[in-house]
Amino acid sequence: MRLLFLLTLLLAACESSPLQNAAQTYVRPVSQEVPDALGQTVLDAVNQLRAKGCHCPDDKWYPPAPALRWNDLLAKSARRHALDMQKHNFFKHTGSDGSEFTDRIKSAGYHWQVAAENLAMGHSDALDVVKNWETSDGHCQNLMHPELHEMGLAKAGRFWVQDFGALRQK
């Protein structure tokens, strides 16, 4: 049942906000990670949404989900893609080098079990971009997905990237 839910979520999210699963095992030590002001604003807004639950545009109720934690490795991955989109002036989940978000997350050193990515372009501020993701079906599903535990964020010019993950567990 869980696999069917994740496959359904992946198909529904499609290009707008991919979600992936991995079956390998890894536990990363906890570190002291602190977001910058922009990241903190987005993290707070997303956690407020997760705390109350949400009707996403698919007209499905997503119940309250645990708060996300900030993760510098996910922020590093997001930064890489935001800068790539800015430098090469494109807007999609596949990087100019052919990398997918899961490749970038892994390359940043994050050993994920569940991962997802939200993109946005042209929004003026952090609250505006979160509201946009909340009103977009696949993005909203990623914001509310209870198996995603951490996030990182980056903005380069007009490009926003939000990477999510849950570490592999033993």
Side-chain angles (χ1 to χ4, degrees), residues 89-106:
N89 195 31
F90 70 95
F91 182 69
K92 59 183 178 178
H93 291 282
T94 304
S96 65
D97 61 357
S99 65
E100 297 299 329
F101 75 97
T102 53
D103 300 323
R104 294 185 296 272
I105 289 170
K106 184 178 178 182

Side-chain angles (χ1 to χ4, degrees), residues 10-38:
L10 175 61
L11 291 174
C14 191
E15 276 296 308
S16 65
S17 57
L19 173 73
Q20 297 234 347
N21 245 346
Q24 299 163 321
T25 305
Y26 178 82
V27 176
R28 184 177 57 83
V30 176
S31 65
Q32 298 297 319
E33 298 173 326
V34 180
D36 61 13
L38 184 68

